[in-house]
Amino acid sequence: MTDAVPSRPVRGRVAKQIRSLETRASISAAAVTVIAERGISGVTHRLVAERAGVPLAATTYYYESKFDILAEAANASMQLYAAAFAKAAARYRANEGDVDSFRDFAFRLIRNAAGVHKAGTIAWAEIALDAVRHPESLVLARNWSAHINALWTSIAEALGARDARAVARSGIDTVAGLLFMTIALGLSEAELASIFECGGDPVQIWSAPRQIGAYEAGSSEKLGRKTQATRRRIVDAAIDILIIDGPAAVNFRQIAKRAGLTAAAPAYHFKSVEDLLRVAQERLFGESKERYRRAVAAPGQRGGDLEQLADLTSVVFLREATEFGRQNLATFAIWLEAARRPELRPLVCDAIIDQCRAWRRLLDPLSTSPRPVNGLLAEAMFAGKLVRILSTGAATSDLISVRREFAQDLTSLADGGFWALQS
């Protein structure tokens, strides 16, 4: 911003404009920090002003509501993202970039999410999931999606991809899924490199430090019917809040109010909010796993070829994106909360690893070069596509292309490609 100040004396109005731009930039950056630390529901004018180092009156002067702050933060992030990608594409076209393939470019984004861009990645994920909660945010999310696709396509073209549009779309979905996993599990750059650079097995490397036994898995089987019913009401209320307001809004007071219980009831049945969120995640994953199991076990669905696998995957996906979209929003919300609460990671990790194993069981018999990473990439591609379609409102134009996209991506994985049609 200071580079914009001319060397000659300036009039008061120009100086004021410069100060205004700097103040707005400070507020926007502070909002990203607060979103990463506390979630969108934790954003307040007072907290953002405090982090930005500006008077409270400054945030209320420039932004009428916190949603205006969020929109500004989202737009500012997109502008920085677009500028960085435009420069990268220009370097690659001039053969001045320091990556050799679209795979290398994608891995750099994932690695940065575990390091220098961790806060920004968490904030992006929060904003993406929040878009579906507000009609005005859906417009922003759709614009984001179209713009990101154009940026990625330009990068793929600069790196010489045969079908840049298909490569960009596949890369966006897979990287989005991997970004959610990276922040949810608190993966380090070394853990990512061990998989994507050294060919390690994520089932072994990622799950070892996040064993499911790291938390006390409770059982409600021995509880009385009345107690089980009350616990279920509490978990139902927590999931509703996750869907409507996000994980940062989940607290015992709000849960009791939504469930129609006394203020003390949630704390009586669950020792902490983290304990409650673990039970919610366990239920959501159990229900999701059962839906997948029934689909795969249906008559005529076992065995087959890649075309049949694409058919099956598409049917499962479309149900998850529409009929069970709310439940998946709650699941991803818990993943984001795990980024801030490490005690949630063992169960989230167990759910992710279980899905990776399931994908390998389906893909390995159909692959010319089975590799440990294939199950992870398939799960990341599925999860990232689900995030993209949920966050943009499940438009018909997106849903009708799902089957074709899965056919491309699954065939690429089976043939040994890292991203669909990347080379």
Side-chain angles (χ1 to χ4, degrees), residues 176-241:
L178 289 171
L179 291 179
F180 264 80
M181 294 177 187
T182 296
I183 58 179
L185 302 182
L187 297 173
S188 67
E189 294 184 54
E191 286 178 307
L192 291 166
S194 67
I195 304 303
F196 298 114
E197 293 186 338
C198 303
D201 186 348
V203 171
Q204 301 298 325
I205 296 172
W206 291 0
S207 62
R210 304 172 183 84
Q211 289 294 333
I212 194 67
Y215 75 94
E216 296 179 5
S219 173
S220 61
E221 293 181 0
K222 297 181 181 180
L223 301 176
R225 288 184 180 179
K226 184 176 180 180
T227 299
Q228 289 188 46
T230 302
R231 286 172 62 91
R232 186 170 187 86
R233 284 173 63 186
I234 292 170
V235 175
D236 286 343
I239 291 174
D240 284 345
I241 295 172

Short mmCIF file of all heavy atoms in Angstrom, two decimals, residues 176-241:
data_model
loop_
_atom_site.label_atom_id
_atom_site.label_comp_id
_atom_site.label_asym_id
_atom_site.label_seq_id
_atom_site.Cartn_x
_atom_site.Cartn_y
_atom_site.Cartn_z
N ALA A 176 -8.88 -30.00 -3.07
CA ALA A 176 -9.82 -29.54 -2.04
C ALA A 176 -10.01 -30.62 -0.98
O ALA A 176 -9.99 -30.34 0.23
CB ALA A 176 -11.15 -29.16 -2.66
N GLY A 177 -10.21 -31.86 -1.42
CA GLY A 177 -10.35 -32.96 -0.46
C GLY A 177 -9.10 -33.13 0.39
O GLY A 177 -9.18 -33.32 1.60
N LEU A 178 -7.94 -33.06 -0.24
CA LEU A 178 -6.69 -33.20 0.50
C LEU A 178 -6.45 -32.04 1.45
O LEU A 178 -5.87 -32.21 2.53
CB LEU A 178 -5.52 -33.33 -0.48
CG LEU A 178 -5.45 -34.67 -1.24
CD1 LEU A 178 -4.39 -34.59 -2.34
CD2 LEU A 178 -5.15 -35.82 -0.29
N LEU A 179 -6.89 -30.84 1.07
CA LEU A 179 -6.75 -29.69 1.97
C LEU A 179 -7.60 -29.88 3.23
O LEU A 179 -7.14 -29.59 4.34
CB LEU A 179 -7.16 -28.40 1.25
CG LEU A 179 -6.23 -27.91 0.14
CD1 LEU A 179 -6.79 -26.65 -0.49
CD2 LEU A 179 -4.82 -27.66 0.65
N PHE A 180 -8.83 -30.35 3.06
CA PHE A 180 -9.68 -30.61 4.22
C PHE A 180 -9.03 -31.66 5.12
O PHE A 180 -9.04 -31.54 6.35
CB PHE A 180 -11.07 -31.07 3.78
CG PHE A 180 -12.09 -29.97 3.71
CD1 PHE A 180 -12.14 -29.12 2.62
CD2 PHE A 180 -12.99 -29.76 4.74
CE1 PHE A 180 -13.07 -28.10 2.55
CE2 PHE A 180 -13.93 -28.74 4.69
CZ PHE A 180 -13.97 -27.91 3.58
N MET A 181 -8.48 -32.72 4.52
CA MET A 181 -7.82 -33.76 5.31
C MET A 181 -6.59 -33.21 6.02
O MET A 181 -6.35 -33.52 7.20
CB MET A 181 -7.42 -34.93 4.41
CG MET A 181 -8.58 -35.69 3.81
SD MET A 181 -7.97 -36.99 2.70
CE MET A 181 -9.52 -37.56 1.99
N THR A 182 -5.82 -32.41 5.33
CA THR A 182 -4.58 -31.88 5.88
C THR A 182 -4.82 -31.05 7.13
O THR A 182 -4.15 -31.21 8.15
CB THR A 182 -3.83 -31.04 4.83
OG1 THR A 182 -3.44 -31.89 3.74
CG2 THR A 182 -2.60 -30.37 5.41
N ILE A 183 -5.81 -30.15 7.06
CA ILE A 183 -6.06 -29.29 8.22
C ILE A 183 -6.80 -30.05 9.32
O ILE A 183 -6.57 -29.82 10.50
CB ILE A 183 -6.82 -28.01 7.81
CG1 ILE A 183 -8.15 -28.33 7.13
CG2 ILE A 183 -5.96 -27.14 6.92
CD1 ILE A 183 -8.97 -27.12 6.74
N ALA A 184 -7.68 -30.99 8.93
CA ALA A 184 -8.42 -31.75 9.94
C ALA A 184 -7.49 -32.62 10.76
O ALA A 184 -7.63 -32.72 12.00
CB ALA A 184 -9.49 -32.61 9.28
N LEU A 185 -6.52 -33.27 10.11
CA LEU A 185 -5.63 -34.19 10.81
C LEU A 185 -4.37 -33.50 11.33
O LEU A 185 -3.57 -34.13 12.02
CB LEU A 185 -5.23 -35.33 9.87
CG LEU A 185 -6.38 -36.17 9.30
CD1 LEU A 185 -5.84 -37.30 8.43
CD2 LEU A 185 -7.26 -36.72 10.41
N GLY A 186 -4.22 -32.22 11.02
CA GLY A 186 -3.02 -31.52 11.46
C GLY A 186 -1.76 -32.12 10.87
O GLY A 186 -0.73 -32.24 11.54
N LEU A 187 -1.83 -32.49 9.59
CA LEU A 187 -0.69 -33.14 8.95
C LEU A 187 0.48 -32.17 8.80
O LEU A 187 0.30 -30.98 8.55
CB LEU A 187 -1.09 -33.65 7.56
CG LEU A 187 -2.17 -34.74 7.53
CD1 LEU A 187 -2.57 -35.03 6.09
CD2 LEU A 187 -1.69 -36.01 8.21
N SER A 188 1.67 -32.68 8.95
CA SER A 188 2.87 -31.88 8.77
C SER A 188 3.35 -31.98 7.33
O SER A 188 2.93 -32.88 6.57
CB SER A 188 3.98 -32.39 9.70
OG SER A 188 4.41 -33.69 9.30
N GLU A 189 4.23 -31.08 6.94
CA GLU A 189 4.80 -31.14 5.59
C GLU A 189 5.55 -32.45 5.38
O GLU A 189 5.53 -33.02 4.29
CB GLU A 189 5.70 -29.93 5.35
CG GLU A 189 4.95 -28.60 5.33
CD GLU A 189 5.86 -27.43 5.01
OE1 GLU A 189 6.54 -27.48 3.97
OE2 GLU A 189 5.90 -26.47 5.80
N ALA A 190 6.21 -32.92 6.43
CA ALA A 190 6.95 -34.19 6.32
C ALA A 190 6.00 -35.37 6.11
O ALA A 190 6.30 -36.28 5.32
CB ALA A 190 7.79 -34.41 7.58
N GLU A 191 4.85 -35.36 6.79
CA GLU A 191 3.88 -36.45 6.61
C GLU A 191 3.30 -36.44 5.20
O GLU A 191 3.03 -37.50 4.62
CB GLU A 191 2.76 -36.33 7.65
CG GLU A 191 3.18 -36.73 9.05
CD GLU A 191 2.06 -36.56 10.05
OE1 GLU A 191 1.48 -35.46 10.13
OE2 GLU A 191 1.76 -37.53 10.77
N LEU A 192 3.10 -35.25 4.64
CA LEU A 192 2.61 -35.16 3.27
C LEU A 192 3.67 -35.64 2.28
O LEU A 192 3.37 -36.39 1.36
CB LEU A 192 2.21 -33.72 2.95
CG LEU A 192 0.97 -33.19 3.68
CD1 LEU A 192 0.87 -31.68 3.55
CD2 LEU A 192 -0.29 -33.85 3.15
N ALA A 193 4.91 -35.21 2.49
CA ALA A 193 5.99 -35.61 1.59
C ALA A 193 6.21 -37.12 1.62
O ALA A 193 6.53 -37.73 0.59
CB ALA A 193 7.28 -34.88 1.97
N SER A 194 6.01 -37.73 2.78
CA SER A 194 6.22 -39.18 2.88
C SER A 194 5.26 -39.96 2.00
O SER A 194 5.57 -41.07 1.58
CB SER A 194 6.06 -39.62 4.34
OG SER A 194 4.71 -39.46 4.78
N ILE A 195 4.12 -39.35 1.69
CA ILE A 195 3.13 -40.01 0.83
C ILE A 195 3.34 -39.61 -0.63
O ILE A 195 3.46 -40.46 -1.51
CB ILE A 195 1.70 -39.64 1.27
CG1 ILE A 195 1.47 -39.98 2.73
CG2 ILE A 195 0.68 -40.33 0.37
CD1 ILE A 195 1.72 -41.42 3.08
N PHE A 196 3.39 -38.31 -0.88
CA PHE A 196 3.36 -37.82 -2.25
C PHE A 196 4.73 -37.72 -2.91
O PHE A 196 4.81 -37.59 -4.14
CB PHE A 196 2.65 -36.47 -2.30
CG PHE A 196 1.21 -36.55 -1.86
CD1 PHE A 196 0.79 -35.92 -0.70
CD2 PHE A 196 0.30 -37.29 -2.58
CE1 PHE A 196 -0.53 -36.01 -0.29
CE2 PHE A 196 -1.02 -37.39 -2.18
CZ PHE A 196 -1.44 -36.75 -1.03
N GLU A 197 5.79 -37.76 -2.14
CA GLU A 197 7.12 -37.73 -2.72
C GLU A 197 7.85 -39.05 -2.54
O GLU A 197 8.68 -39.42 -3.38
CB GLU A 197 7.94 -36.59 -2.12
CG GLU A 197 7.42 -35.21 -2.49
CD GLU A 197 8.32 -34.09 -2.01
OE1 GLU A 197 9.10 -34.31 -1.05
OE2 GLU A 197 8.25 -32.99 -2.59
N CYS A 198 7.56 -39.77 -1.44
CA CYS A 198 8.29 -41.00 -1.14
C CYS A 198 7.47 -42.26 -1.38
O CYS A 198 7.99 -43.37 -1.22
CB CYS A 198 8.78 -40.97 0.32
SG CYS A 198 9.84 -39.55 0.69
N GLY A 199 6.19 -42.11 -1.73
CA GLY A 199 5.37 -43.27 -2.07
C GLY A 199 4.90 -44.09 -0.89
O GLY A 199 4.56 -45.27 -1.04
N GLY A 200 4.86 -43.51 0.31
CA GLY A 200 4.44 -44.24 1.49
C GLY A 200 2.95 -44.52 1.52
O GLY A 200 2.17 -43.98 0.72
N ASP A 201 2.55 -45.37 2.45
CA ASP A 201 1.15 -45.76 2.61
C ASP A 201 0.51 -44.86 3.66
O ASP A 201 0.87 -44.90 4.84
CB ASP A 201 1.06 -47.21 3.06
CG ASP A 201 -0.38 -47.73 3.12
OD1 ASP A 201 -1.31 -46.90 3.02
OD2 ASP A 201 -0.56 -48.95 3.25
N PRO A 202 -0.47 -44.02 3.27
CA PRO A 202 -1.10 -43.12 4.24
C PRO A 202 -1.80 -43.86 5.37
O PRO A 202 -1.89 -43.34 6.49
CB PRO A 202 -2.10 -42.32 3.40
CG PRO A 202 -2.35 -43.16 2.18
CD PRO A 202 -1.05 -43.87 1.92
N VAL A 203 -2.30 -45.05 5.11
CA VAL A 203 -2.98 -45.83 6.15
C VAL A 203 -2.02 -46.08 7.31
O VAL A 203 -2.41 -46.00 8.48
CB VAL A 203 -3.50 -47.16 5.58
CG1 VAL A 203 -4.00 -48.06 6.70
CG2 VAL A 203 -4.62 -46.89 4.58
N GLN A 204 -0.77 -46.34 7.00
CA GLN A 204 0.21 -46.62 8.04
C GLN A 204 0.81 -45.33 8.62
O GLN A 204 0.90 -45.16 9.84
CB GLN A 204 1.34 -47.50 7.48
CG GLN A 204 0.87 -48.83 6.94
CD GLN A 204 0.23 -49.70 8.02
OE1 GLN A 204 0.64 -49.68 9.17
NE2 GLN A 204 -0.79 -50.47 7.63
N ILE A 205 1.21 -44.43 7.74
CA ILE A 205 1.97 -43.25 8.18
C ILE A 205 1.10 -42.23 8.90
O ILE A 205 1.50 -41.67 9.92
CB ILE A 205 2.68 -42.62 6.98
CG1 ILE A 205 3.71 -43.61 6.43
CG2 ILE A 205 3.35 -41.31 7.36
CD1 ILE A 205 4.34 -43.18 5.13
N TRP A 206 -0.10 -41.98 8.38
CA TRP A 206 -0.93 -40.94 8.97
C TRP A 206 -1.69 -41.41 10.19
O TRP A 206 -1.94 -40.63 11.11
CB TRP A 206 -1.93 -40.40 7.93
CG TRP A 206 -1.26 -39.61 6.85
CD1 TRP A 206 0.08 -39.34 6.71
CD2 TRP A 206 -1.90 -38.97 5.74
NE1 TRP A 206 0.30 -38.60 5.59
CE2 TRP A 206 -0.89 -38.35 4.96
CE3 TRP A 206 -3.22 -38.88 5.31
CZ2 TRP A 206 -1.16 -37.64 3.80
CZ3 TRP A 206 -3.50 -38.18 4.16
CH2 TRP A 206 -2.49 -37.56 3.41
N SER A 207 -2.09 -42.68 10.20
CA SER A 207 -2.91 -43.15 11.31
C SER A 207 -2.10 -43.49 12.55
O SER A 207 -2.62 -43.44 13.66
CB SER A 207 -3.75 -44.36 10.88
OG SER A 207 -2.91 -45.44 10.51
N ALA A 208 -0.82 -43.84 12.38
CA ALA A 208 0.00 -44.26 13.53
C ALA A 208 -0.01 -43.25 14.68
O ALA A 208 -0.26 -43.62 15.83
CB ALA A 208 1.42 -44.56 13.07
N PRO A 209 0.24 -41.95 14.43
CA PRO A 209 0.22 -41.00 15.55
C PRO A 209 -1.17 -40.54 15.96
O PRO A 209 -1.32 -39.72 16.85
CB PRO A 209 1.03 -39.81 15.00
CG PRO A 209 0.81 -39.85 13.53
CD PRO A 209 0.66 -41.31 13.17
N ARG A 210 -2.19 -41.05 15.28
CA ARG A 210 -3.57 -40.64 15.57
C ARG A 210 -4.44 -41.87 15.78
O ARG A 210 -5.51 -41.99 15.20
CB ARG A 210 -4.12 -39.79 14.42
CG ARG A 210 -3.27 -38.57 14.10
CD ARG A 210 -3.71 -37.86 12.85
NE ARG A 210 -2.82 -36.75 12.53
CZ ARG A 210 -1.67 -36.87 11.88
NH1 ARG A 210 -1.29 -38.05 11.44
NH2 ARG A 210 -0.91 -35.82 11.65
N GLN A 211 -3.95 -42.78 16.58
CA GLN A 211 -4.67 -44.03 16.79
C GLN A 211 -6.03 -43.79 17.39
O GLN A 211 -6.22 -42.90 18.24
CB GLN A 211 -3.87 -44.97 17.70
CG GLN A 211 -2.62 -45.54 17.05
CD GLN A 211 -2.94 -46.47 15.89
OE1 GLN A 211 -4.00 -47.08 15.84
NE2 GLN A 211 -2.03 -46.56 14.93
N ILE A 212 -7.00 -44.60 16.99
CA ILE A 212 -8.37 -44.46 17.48
C ILE A 212 -8.42 -44.65 18.99
O ILE A 212 -9.28 -44.11 19.68
CB ILE A 212 -9.30 -45.47 16.77
CG1 ILE A 212 -10.76 -45.11 17.00
CG2 ILE A 212 -9.03 -46.88 17.20
CD1 ILE A 212 -11.19 -43.84 16.36
N GLY A 213 -7.45 -45.39 19.53
CA GLY A 213 -7.42 -45.60 20.97
C GLY A 213 -6.98 -44.38 21.75
O GLY A 213 -6.94 -44.40 22.97
N ALA A 214 -6.65 -43.30 21.03
CA ALA A 214 -6.20 -42.08 21.71
C ALA A 214 -7.34 -41.37 22.42
O ALA A 214 -7.13 -40.41 23.12
CB ALA A 214 -5.55 -41.13 20.70
N TYR A 215 -8.56 -41.83 22.21
CA TYR A 215 -9.68 -41.27 22.97
C TYR A 215 -10.49 -42.43 23.53
O TYR A 215 -10.38 -43.57 23.10
CB TYR A 215 -10.56 -40.38 22.08
CG TYR A 215 -11.44 -41.14 21.12
CD1 TYR A 215 -12.75 -41.46 21.46
CD2 TYR A 215 -10.96 -41.54 19.88
CE1 TYR A 215 -13.56 -42.15 20.58
CE2 TYR A 215 -11.76 -42.24 19.00
CZ TYR A 215 -13.06 -42.54 19.35
OH TYR A 215 -13.85 -43.22 18.48
N GLU A 216 -11.30 -42.15 24.51
CA GLU A 216 -12.12 -43.18 25.12
C GLU A 216 -13.42 -43.32 24.36
O GLU A 216 -14.28 -42.45 24.41
CB GLU A 216 -12.41 -42.82 26.58
CG GLU A 216 -11.17 -42.76 27.46
CD GLU A 216 -11.51 -42.37 28.88
OE1 GLU A 216 -12.72 -42.23 29.17
OE2 GLU A 216 -10.60 -42.19 29.68
N ALA A 217 -13.53 -44.40 23.60
CA ALA A 217 -14.74 -44.62 22.81
C ALA A 217 -15.83 -45.17 23.72
O ALA A 217 -15.79 -46.31 24.15
CB ALA A 217 -14.46 -45.60 21.68
N GLY A 218 -16.77 -44.33 24.04
CA GLY A 218 -17.84 -44.74 24.95
C GLY A 218 -18.89 -45.58 24.26
O GLY A 218 -19.01 -45.60 23.04
N SER A 219 -19.67 -46.30 25.03
CA SER A 219 -20.75 -47.11 24.48
C SER A 219 -22.02 -46.81 25.25
O SER A 219 -22.00 -46.67 26.47
CB SER A 219 -20.41 -48.60 24.58
OG SER A 219 -21.52 -49.38 24.20
N SER A 220 -23.12 -46.67 24.50
CA SER A 220 -24.39 -46.37 25.15
C SER A 220 -25.26 -47.62 25.27
O SER A 220 -26.41 -47.53 25.70
CB SER A 220 -25.14 -45.30 24.34
OG SER A 220 -25.41 -45.77 23.04
N GLU A 221 -24.69 -48.80 24.91
CA GLU A 221 -25.50 -50.01 24.91
C GLU A 221 -26.00 -50.39 26.30
O GLU A 221 -27.05 -50.98 26.44
CB GLU A 221 -24.68 -51.16 24.31
CG GLU A 221 -24.38 -50.97 22.82
CD GLU A 221 -23.59 -52.13 22.27
OE1 GLU A 221 -23.28 -53.06 23.06
OE2 GLU A 221 -23.27 -52.13 21.06
N LYS A 222 -25.23 -50.06 27.33
CA LYS A 222 -25.59 -50.45 28.69
C LYS A 222 -26.47 -49.41 29.37
O LYS A 222 -26.88 -49.59 30.51
CB LYS A 222 -24.32 -50.68 29.52
CG LYS A 222 -23.45 -51.82 28.99
CD LYS A 222 -22.23 -52.02 29.86
CE LYS A 222 -21.34 -53.15 29.34
NZ LYS A 222 -20.13 -53.35 30.18
N LEU A 223 -26.76 -48.32 28.69
CA LEU A 223 -27.57 -47.28 29.27
C LEU A 223 -29.06 -47.61 29.12
O LEU A 223 -29.46 -48.33 28.21
CB LEU A 223 -27.28 -45.94 28.59
CG LEU A 223 -25.82 -45.45 28.67
CD1 LEU A 223 -25.66 -44.17 27.87
CD2 LEU A 223 -25.40 -45.22 30.12
N GLY A 224 -29.86 -47.04 30.01
CA GLY A 224 -31.30 -47.26 29.93
C GLY A 224 -31.90 -46.56 28.73
O GLY A 224 -31.29 -45.68 28.12
N ARG A 225 -33.14 -46.95 28.40
CA ARG A 225 -33.78 -46.38 27.23
C ARG A 225 -33.96 -44.87 27.33
O ARG A 225 -33.76 -44.13 26.38
CB ARG A 225 -35.15 -47.05 27.02
CG ARG A 225 -35.06 -48.49 26.53
CD ARG A 225 -36.46 -49.02 26.26
NE ARG A 225 -36.42 -50.40 25.78
CZ ARG A 225 -37.50 -51.12 25.48
NH1 ARG A 225 -38.71 -50.55 25.62
NH2 ARG A 225 -37.38 -52.36 25.05
N LYS A 226 -34.37 -44.43 28.52
CA LYS A 226 -34.59 -42.99 28.70
C LYS A 226 -33.30 -42.22 28.53
O LYS A 226 -33.27 -41.16 27.89
CB LYS A 226 -35.19 -42.73 30.09
CG LYS A 226 -35.54 -41.27 30.31
CD LYS A 226 -36.23 -41.08 31.67
CE LYS A 226 -36.59 -39.61 31.88
NZ LYS A 226 -37.25 -39.39 33.20
N THR A 227 -32.22 -42.73 29.10
CA THR A 227 -30.92 -42.07 28.98
C THR A 227 -30.46 -42.06 27.52
O THR A 227 -29.97 -41.04 27.02
CB THR A 227 -29.87 -42.78 29.85
OG1 THR A 227 -30.28 -42.71 31.21
CG2 THR A 227 -28.50 -42.14 29.68
N GLN A 228 -30.63 -43.19 26.83
CA GLN A 228 -30.24 -43.24 25.42
C GLN A 228 -31.05 -42.25 24.59
O GLN A 228 -30.50 -41.58 23.70
CB GLN A 228 -30.46 -44.66 24.88
CG GLN A 228 -29.47 -45.68 25.41
CD GLN A 228 -29.60 -47.02 24.68
OE1 GLN A 228 -29.67 -47.07 23.45
NE2 GLN A 228 -29.64 -48.10 25.44
N ALA A 229 -32.33 -42.13 24.90
CA ALA A 229 -33.18 -41.20 24.15
C ALA A 229 -32.74 -39.76 24.38
O ALA A 229 -32.71 -38.95 23.44
CB ALA A 229 -34.64 -41.38 24.56
N THR A 230 -32.39 -39.43 25.63
CA THR A 230 -31.94 -38.07 25.94
C THR A 230 -30.61 -37.78 25.25
O THR A 230 -30.42 -36.69 24.68
CB THR A 230 -31.79 -37.89 27.46
OG1 THR A 230 -33.04 -38.16 28.10
CG2 THR A 230 -31.36 -36.47 27.79
N ARG A 231 -29.69 -38.74 25.30
CA ARG A 231 -28.40 -38.55 24.62
C ARG A 231 -28.60 -38.35 23.12
O ARG A 231 -27.92 -37.52 22.50
CB ARG A 231 -27.48 -39.74 24.89
CG ARG A 231 -26.91 -39.78 26.30
CD ARG A 231 -26.18 -41.09 26.56
NE ARG A 231 -25.05 -41.28 25.66
CZ ARG A 231 -23.81 -40.88 25.91
NH1 ARG A 231 -23.53 -40.25 27.04
NH2 ARG A 231 -22.83 -41.12 25.05
N ARG A 232 -29.54 -39.10 22.57
CA ARG A 232 -29.79 -38.95 21.13
C ARG A 232 -30.34 -37.56 20.82
O ARG A 232 -29.96 -36.94 19.81
CB ARG A 232 -30.74 -40.03 20.64
CG ARG A 232 -30.92 -40.01 19.13
CD ARG A 232 -31.67 -41.21 18.59
NE ARG A 232 -31.66 -41.20 17.14
CZ ARG A 232 -30.70 -41.70 16.39
NH1 ARG A 232 -29.63 -42.24 16.96
NH2 ARG A 232 -30.76 -41.65 15.07
N ARG A 233 -31.23 -37.04 21.67
CA ARG A 233 -31.75 -35.68 21.46
C ARG A 233 -30.62 -34.66 21.50
O ARG A 233 -30.60 -33.70 20.73
CB ARG A 233 -32.79 -35.36 22.53
CG ARG A 233 -34.14 -36.03 22.30
CD ARG A 233 -35.07 -35.79 23.48
NE ARG A 233 -35.39 -34.38 23.67
CZ ARG A 233 -36.09 -33.91 24.70
NH1 ARG A 233 -36.55 -34.77 25.63
NH2 ARG A 233 -36.37 -32.63 24.80
N ILE A 234 -29.69 -34.87 22.41
CA ILE A 234 -28.57 -33.94 22.56
C ILE A 234 -27.68 -33.99 21.31
O ILE A 234 -27.27 -32.95 20.77
CB ILE A 234 -27.75 -34.27 23.82
CG1 ILE A 234 -28.59 -33.97 25.06
CG2 ILE A 234 -26.44 -33.48 23.85
CD1 ILE A 234 -27.98 -34.49 26.35
N VAL A 235 -27.38 -35.20 20.84
CA VAL A 235 -26.55 -35.34 19.65
C VAL A 235 -27.27 -34.77 18.43
O VAL A 235 -26.66 -34.09 17.59
CB VAL A 235 -26.16 -36.81 19.42
CG1 VAL A 235 -25.40 -36.97 18.10
CG2 VAL A 235 -25.31 -37.33 20.58
N ASP A 236 -28.58 -35.03 18.32
CA ASP A 236 -29.36 -34.45 17.22
C ASP A 236 -29.27 -32.93 17.21
O ASP A 236 -29.11 -32.31 16.16
CB ASP A 236 -30.84 -34.87 17.33
CG ASP A 236 -31.08 -36.32 16.96
OD1 ASP A 236 -30.19 -36.91 16.32
OD2 ASP A 236 -32.14 -36.85 17.33
N ALA A 237 -29.39 -32.34 18.40
CA ALA A 237 -29.32 -30.88 18.52
C ALA A 237 -27.93 -30.38 18.11
O ALA A 237 -27.81 -29.36 17.42
CB ALA A 237 -29.64 -30.45 19.95
N ALA A 238 -26.89 -31.09 18.52
CA ALA A 238 -25.52 -30.69 18.16
C ALA A 238 -25.33 -30.74 16.65
O ALA A 238 -24.73 -29.83 16.06
CB ALA A 238 -24.51 -31.61 18.86
N ILE A 239 -25.85 -31.78 16.01
CA ILE A 239 -25.71 -31.90 14.56
C ILE A 239 -26.49 -30.79 13.85
O ILE A 239 -26.02 -30.20 12.87
CB ILE A 239 -26.18 -33.29 14.09
CG1 ILE A 239 -25.20 -34.37 14.58
CG2 ILE A 239 -26.32 -33.35 12.57
CD1 ILE A 239 -25.64 -35.79 14.30
N ASP A 240 -27.67 -30.46 14.36
CA ASP A 240 -28.44 -29.36 13.78
C ASP A 240 -27.66 -28.05 13.85
O ASP A 240 -27.64 -27.27 12.89
CB ASP A 240 -29.77 -29.19 14.53
CG ASP A 240 -30.80 -30.25 14.14
OD1 ASP A 240 -30.58 -30.93 13.11
OD2 ASP A 240 -31.79 -30.41 14.87
N ILE A 241 -27.02 -27.79 14.98
CA ILE A 241 -26.25 -26.56 15.14
C ILE A 241 -25.04 -26.57 14.21
O ILE A 241 -24.69 -25.55 13.61
CB ILE A 241 -25.81 -26.37 16.60
CG1 ILE A 241 -27.05 -26.16 17.49
CG2 ILE A 241 -24.86 -25.18 16.74
CD1 ILE A 241 -26.75 -26.15 18.98
#
